[in-house]
Amino acid sequence: MPKSRIRKKDDYTPPPTRQPQNIRLTNRSWVAPVMLAFFLIGLAWIVVFYVTETRLPIEALGNWNIVVGFGFIAAGFGVSTQWK
């Protein structure tokens, strides 16, 4: 019976070392102040609406002033998604 060929294993070669890549973060220093501003404007809008007994900030909107206040708060949450 013929003898089978012996397979020669390659010597172990370690994987090439990776060069660390610099992570480039954009400057997002504007996010926190804008987010807080939207939160505070929305809160102030709703508080002023209740304290002035629906006469301010815009009397013609009536109870829609609450929606406007929550809209500012929602915009603040939208801006917060840009925070890193």
Side-chain angles (χ1 to χ4, degrees):
M1 177 177 249
K3 192 174 182 181
S4 63
R5 288 187 279 169
I6 299 174
R7 295 182 196 166
K8 182 180 177 188
K9 285 189 173 184
D10 293 334
D11 292 334
Y12 173 74
T13 55
T17 58
R18 291 186 178 183
Q19 297 292 335
Q21 296 178 353
N22 292 335
I23 298 174
R24 208 178 103 208
L25 295 177
T26 58
N27 187 6
R28 304 231 175 167
S29 59
W30 58 272
V31 173
V34 171
M35 174 184 65
L36 291 175
F38 276 137
F39 287 153
L40 292 175
I41 290 171
L43 179 65
W45 193 287
I46 294 171
V47 168
V48 167
F49 174 71
Y50 278 116
V51 169
T52 62
E53 297 175 354
T54 71
R55 282 176 279 163
L56 289 175
I58 301 175
E59 188 173 6
L61 289 178
N63 287 336
W64 283 97
N65 280 305
I66 298 171
V67 175
V68 172
F70 278 112
F72 277 112
I73 293 171
F77 280 113
V79 171
S80 72
T81 62
Q82 299 298 314
W83 198 0
K84 288 188 177 185

